[in-house]
Structure formats: C-alpha cells, structure tokens
Amino acid sequence: MTIKKKILKALAGEVLDTPPIWMMRQAGRYLPEYRETRAQAGDFLSLCYNSDLAAEVTLQPIRRYGFDAAILFADILLLPQALGADLWFVTGEGPRLSTINSTDELNLLKPVDEIHDTLRPVYETVRILSKELPEETTLIGFAGAPWTVATYMIAGRGTPDQKPAHDLKDNNILVFENLIEILTKATIKYLSAQIDAGAEVVKIFDSWAGSLKGDDFYKYAHEPTKKIVMELKAKYPTVPIIVFPRQAGDCYKGFLKSTGADCLAIDDSISSAWAAKYLQKDGCIQGNLNSSHMVSGGQNMIDEIETIVSDLSQGPHIFNLGHGITPEANPDNVALMIETIRNFKRS
C-alpha cells in the first residue's frame, strides 16, 4: 500500500525533499483561540476531559498553520489520575498530586485494568479527531514514560532535579520499581486504547530521562520504553512509535535501534549535526529547534531552522522543536518557521 501522509513516510524511513512539521504543545496558550476555549471549559482538567473541546483545541493549530500532524490534546498526568492518584492544578504553579512514597500509598492505586473508566473521554477525543482531521494530517497519540510520570507521583509536583524520585529509588527500591512496573503496564494499555480509537502514531515522552545516569538510565528510561514498544509492536506492528528521552546526551546513541521504535525525538541540547552523524543512521530523527526562537523570531531563527533542515537532510527527518512551545511564543513566528522550512532549498 502506498503511504500518502508525509509524517508516515518519514517514519517509514523515506527521505523527503521537505521535512514534515509539527510542534510539541502546538495546541496551547500561545494561541488566542486556545485561551478562549480553555475559558469556556472552566479549567485545564475540564478541558482535557471534555472530548468536544479537547478535539477543538487539537484542531485549532491545524486550521491556522496546516501542520502535517495533530497531537491529541491531553496531559501525561491523566494516567496517574486514572490509577487513583489525586490530581489538581494550581494556577501559575502547575500540577499537584497525592504522593507515592510507601507500600501503603502504592497499594491505594487502582488495578491497571481500571484506567479506562477515567480515560474514556480521551479515547472519545481521538475518535472525533480521526473523523475531523484533514485527510493529509496524521493523528498522534501519546503518554508519558514511566520514569517521568513516576517523578511527579513521588514528589506530588514537578521538581527541578527530580530529587524525591531519586531518593525513593535509593532508599526504597521495592516501592520505586513496583511503581515503574505499574506505570509500564498502564502505559501499554493506555496507548493501545488510543490506537484502537484511531491514533496513527504514538509518542512516549520521557521529559526527565536526562536526570538518570549510567545504569539507572538503562534500567528506568531505556528498559520500560523498550517494553512498551515491544508490547505495542506485537499488537500493532504497523503503528509507528516515537520515543523522546529528553536530554539523554550520549545515551541517545543506540536508543532508537535498541528499543525498536521508529523515530527518535531529540532536544536542543545536542546539535543537529551531531544527531545526523551519530543518530540518524538508525532511523527517523525528530527535532530540534530551540523553542525560545518561537518567542524571539528574526534572522537567528531562520538561520537555525535552515541549519537543522540542511544537517538532517540526508536521512528521514520530522521537523519539531527541542521542547514544547511556550505560552510567550508569537504565533507569527510559528508561521514564519513553517514558511522557512517549506521554502528552503537545500544545496
């Protein structure tokens, strides 16, 4: 069967004249239409669980910019909530959760099979999008990787260094590893349900992978991701998987091949030239413009975009940011980014 969608072509290993484009957090606070819809929903979690409104904000950047992919509007912390953790958001500060630091707290979590009771609205959002997206636009589902989700569940919030999670790992390895195992199983079920609902690609976000060093990176970033990929590939062999062990540095090397995923997303702490030399030989690379350019714009942004496109032009590449777009971003800079990529002529 001939593949028509640009992102699916890149994920299948095809080298395209112009890389397909999407952005992490492309449906978000930098867009006035998003802010209006969020106000209509009442609060962030209400927006996530309102299937019609979540589909609407997912579609907004597609209408405005014509990205090659839409990513489901949701949040990585919906999964711990589905497992029974309390979850709420503090304005200006971010998420808060009930904590997991002991066997008793771990035992309060629901069985993995029960997550769907809470997450059904998310699956309904996927179903709506699979019908309403333009036929050329790929639908991406996602989940947080077990380590990253665990850092929030252990600390009860985001932290700058993930110290509470490292402390639990060092002081109560049984609870820590049981939590990682629960999250691994739950993530497989969550992503499977998204695929069943119509997601064409899924992405695993390990936002805090870079805080794991040496053996710990292998055991708690690499191995859970590999297990998730293997299980999904066994059930859905044709569905591509993107992995993102952010700030992995040298540990990016070999990660794509050894986990069995189809695409390695990279952050902006490494250069596109380095990625082309050491990573792209294993398959598709996604990235990696610094998201600050979406705020500042100008010639520096154009030059960096052209460098990335040129550096990664010899292998399969999906253009993206190295991190999610920030609320301060100028929507006009997003339009300029897309125009620059699609008009760039490689020498």
Side-chain angles (χ1 to χ4, degrees):
M1 187 176 74
T2 303
I3 299 173
K4 295 183 179 179
K5 296 186 179 185
K6 286 186 69 177
I7 279 185
L8 296 181
K9 287 183 178 182
L11 290 168
E14 193 170 331
V15 182
L16 305 173
D17 289 338
T18 302
I21 313 161
W22 71 279
M23 287 193 315
M24 291 180 282
R25 296 190 191 140
Q26 65 188 24
R29 288 178 287 170
Y30 73 104
L31 289 177
E33 56 265 46
Y34 168 86
R35 293 194 292 270
E36 290 174 12
T37 307
R38 176 166 171 171
Q40 183 183 345
D43 59 59
F44 178 72
L45 282 176
S46 297
L47 179 54
C48 288
Y49 287 120
N50 184 317
S51 302
D52 290 327
L53 294 184
E56 167 59 24
V57 294
T58 304
L59 289 163
Q60 286 168 353
I62 306 305
R63 295 192 198 109
R64 183 185 271 254
Y65 298 115
F67 285 114
D68 294 299
I71 185 164
L72 164 71
F73 182 82
D75 190 272
I76 65 169
L77 299 182
L78 301 187
L79 183 59
Q81 186 177 38
L83 284 165
D86 294 330
L87 172 65
W88 66 102
F89 282 76
V90 177
T91 303
E93 295 185 20
R96 298 288 185 273
L97 298 96
S98 52
T99 57
I100 305 289
N101 283 287
S102 67
T103 301
D104 288 344
E105 289 173 336
L106 190 71
N107 289 340
L108 291 175
L109 294 179
K110 296 177 182 177
V112 166
D113 287 338
E114 293 183 14
I115 63 169
H116 306 305
D117 295 340
T118 300
L119 296 169
R120 285 188 208 289
V122 178
Y123 311 146
E124 179 58 24
T125 303
V126 175
R127 279 188 283 273
I128 293 170
L129 290 167
S130 66
K131 295 172 185 171
E132 294 195 8
L133 279 169
E135 63 178 12
E136 70 273 13
T137 310
T138 300
L139 177 55
I140 302 174
F142 76 94
W147 160 251
T148 287
V149 175
T151 66
Y152 288 95
M153 295 180 76
I154 293 163
R157 60 185 298 168
T159 57
D161 55 7
Q162 294 72 57
K163 186 175 185 300
H166 286 284
D167 287 346
L168 183 65
K169 168 175 59 65
D170 294 340
N171 298 320
N172 195 334
I173 190 68
L174 186 62
V175 168
F176 175 80
E177 290 192 341
N178 281 339
L179 178 59
I180 294 291
E181 180 64 20
I182 289 168
L183 288 169
T184 301
K185 291 177 179 177
T187 303
I188 293 165
K189 290 186 177 294
Y190 184 33
L191 291 175
S192 295
Q194 291 183 36
I195 294 167
D196 289 339
E200 299 168 277
V201 177
V202 292
K203 180 172 179 180
I204 303 167
F205 285 87
D206 210 348
S207 304
W208 301 120
S211 73
L212 291 165
K213 306 301 179 187
D215 238 19
D216 282 349
F217 181 90
Y218 179 78
K219 287 191 286 187
Y220 306 123
H222 179 277
E223 284 302 286
T225 296
K226 181 179 179 180
K227 185 171 183 178
I228 293 165
V229 171
M230 287 178 64
E231 292 277 349
L232 291 176
K233 286 292 184 184
K235 294 168 68 177
Y236 311 99
T238 63
V239 174
I241 300 172
I242 304 170
V243 290
F244 185 32
R246 190 172 74 92
Q247 294 190 330
D250 271 351
C251 290
Y252 275 128
K253 292 179 180 177
F255 194 89
L256 180 60
K257 195 170 186 179
S258 61
T259 58
D262 300 274
C263 180
L264 180 67
I266 56 173
D267 68 274
D268 49 68
S269 68
I270 61 171
S271 72
S272 50
W274 187 89
K277 182 176 181 179
Y278 294 107
L279 308 178
Q280 204 174 28
K281 66 184 187 312
D282 289 336
C284 185
I285 297 298
Q286 178 179 283
N288 66 329
L289 183 69
N290 191 311
S291 58
S292 66
H293 284 299
M294 296 293 95
V295 180
S296 57
Q299 190 60 45
N300 285 341
M301 179 185 79
I302 292 171
D303 291 345
E304 183 64 20
I305 289 168
E306 292 183 346
T307 296
I308 291 168
V309 174
S310 179
D311 284 345
L312 294 168
S313 64
Q314 300 307 302
H317 176 217
I318 296 169
F319 196 96
N320 208 307
L321 305 180
H323 201 314
I325 189 168
T326 61
E328 301 79 25
N330 184 338
D332 290 342
N333 289 333
V334 179
L336 178 57
M337 175 191 73
I338 294 169
E339 179 185 354
T340 301
I341 295 164
R342 290 184 173 159
N343 291 334
F344 180 62
K345 304 299 181 188
R346 296 183 307 210
S347 55

